[in-house]
Amino acid sequence: MTVKNKLLKALILGAPASGKGTISSRIVKKYTVAHVSSGDKLRDHIEKQTDLGKEVKKYLNEGKLVPDDVMIKFMITELKKVDDKPWLLDGFPRTVGQANALWKVQPVDVVLNLVVPFEVIIDRVRNRWVHLASGRVYNIGFNTPKVEGKDDVTGEDLVQRPDDRPEAVQKRLEIYESVTRPVIDFYKEKGILKEFHGRTSDEIWPKVTSYLDPIFTKF
Ligand code: G5P
Ligand code: MG
């Protein structure tokens, strides 16, 4: 597909820990596009103890979805802040209700869906460390931080996500199967979904660039 004379609006979908954040950061480095991650934004609110942060904390910690009304209002407001730029949305929408609400205010052009086997995912979350302020993410053995426990850019502490505990991961995967999978069908029916299969982000990345290169050069 080609998109001319307009700002690309793209989504990245995939199960928890399928590499949405990892692939998004590579997309942002290669193409001019703003990365908007619902999970990173919510974690930032929790860290800063805002009213929203206090409201959503228990959902994130337990691996449950934040209710649609809260999420839709929050993300539509966040997207308005970047509507003069091309954007890549990560983590939203996650329910068909959210997908419908987004489609009404901003139909999207491209949807990337990462398909990674579940056993690979379970292994990854055990070794994930994050820098909360930036959303930068590390994995011991894959992209190990230069100094153990410290962010490469700021030198600040890395933390493990509370929802990376095994019981919360299990919950997130169950919710993904039952509630988020229909979102994939929503975009399939619109004819704008492209799937990328692989066991590693390095295997998936060249497939993503082959797909995105012609789309971005048409701008
Ligand atoms: P999030 O933050 O959207 P998830 O569960 O969808 O959370 P997550 O965990 O952020 O997704 P990811 O972004 O898909 O995963 O993956 P990633 O962080 O890039 O990679 C995972 C790990 O694997 C990292 O450590 C990375 O370094 C490593 N890795 C990547 N590639 C490889 C590889 O090839 N090899 C190896 N060895 N490692 C690799 O949402 C969190 C919560 O926020 C709420 C919910 O409570 C949700 O549970 N929320 C919403 N609630 C309702 N509606 C919404 N729209 C919501 N959005 C967020
Ligand atoms: Mg992520």
Side-chain angles (χ1 to χ4, degrees):
M1 70 147 283
T2 61
V3 186
K4 282 188 183 162
N5 302 322
K6 67 185 284 244
L7 301 168
L8 184 81
K9 305 297 184 189
L11 304 182
I12 187 160
L13 305 178
S18 56
K20 299 182 293 297
T22 303
I23 296 290
S24 296
S25 69
R26 293 185 189 187
I27 290 175
V28 170
K29 263 189 209 147
K30 184 168 161 90
Y31 309 99
T32 310
V33 58
H35 176 219
V36 183
S37 157
S38 56
D40 287 352
K41 288 198 179 293
L42 293 173
R43 282 185 287 278
D44 192 45
H45 275 270
I46 292 173
E47 174 75 1
K48 292 183 176 141
Q49 299 185 20
T50 65
D51 288 344
L52 177 71
K54 288 176 192 158
E55 185 181 351
V56 302
K57 186 174 177 177
K58 66 173 188 309
Y59 295 102
L60 273 90
N61 284 357
E62 290 171 19
K64 293 181 182 158
L65 291 185
V66 174
D68 271 3
D69 54 339
V70 177
M71 237 20 245
I72 290 168
K73 196 170 149 217
F74 174 57
M75 289 308 291
I76 301 291
T77 309
E78 287 297 318
L79 288 175
K80 279 200 187 119
K81 296 180 191 166
V82 288
D83 70 359
D84 58 339
K85 301 186 181 82
W87 48 243
L88 171 67
L89 188 49
D90 160 3
F92 181 91
R94 253 183 163 84
T95 67
V96 172
Q98 293 177 12
N100 271 310
L102 176 64
W103 196 262
K104 274 189 205 137
V105 297
Q106 175 66 70
V108 293
D109 306 301
V110 175
V111 181
L112 315 174
N113 184 34
L114 308 184
V115 186
V116 176
F118 273 17
E119 76 269 13
V120 174
I121 284 174
I122 299 283
D123 259 2
R124 279 182 191 178
V125 288
R126 282 195 204 113
N127 296 319
R128 170 161 51 188
W129 290 83
V130 292
H131 179 242
L132 278 180
S134 67
R136 269 186 293 279
V137 64
Y138 300 86
N139 207 267
I140 309 305
F142 174 65
N143 56 338
T144 310
K146 288 180 190 140
V147 177
E148 196 185 321
K150 303 286 177 193
D151 177 46
D152 286 355
V153 178
T154 63
E156 289 166 356
D157 285 347
L158 300 176
V159 296
Q160 288 203 286
R161 280 173 38 175
D163 60 347
D164 279 346
R165 282 174 297 112
E167 57 280 22
V169 173
Q170 188 59 37
K171 186 84 211 157
R172 285 158 65 202
L173 290 172
E174 280 166 26
I175 290 175
Y176 176 77
E177 273 306 318
S178 56
V179 185
T180 305
R181 201 168 276 285
V183 175
I184 295 169
D185 298 329
F186 177 94
Y187 292 114
K188 249 185 208 160
E189 280 161 24
K190 307 248 180 237
I192 54 173
L193 186 102
K194 176 75 181 165
E195 294 202 326
F196 300 92
H197 293 250
R199 295 181 73 85
T200 67
S201 295
D202 290 345
E203 191 186 334
I204 288 176
W205 175 237
K207 300 177 191 173
V208 172
T209 51
S210 302
Y211 181 66
L212 288 182
D213 277 350
I215 293 174
F216 275 95
T217 52
K218 292 290 182 329
F219 270 73

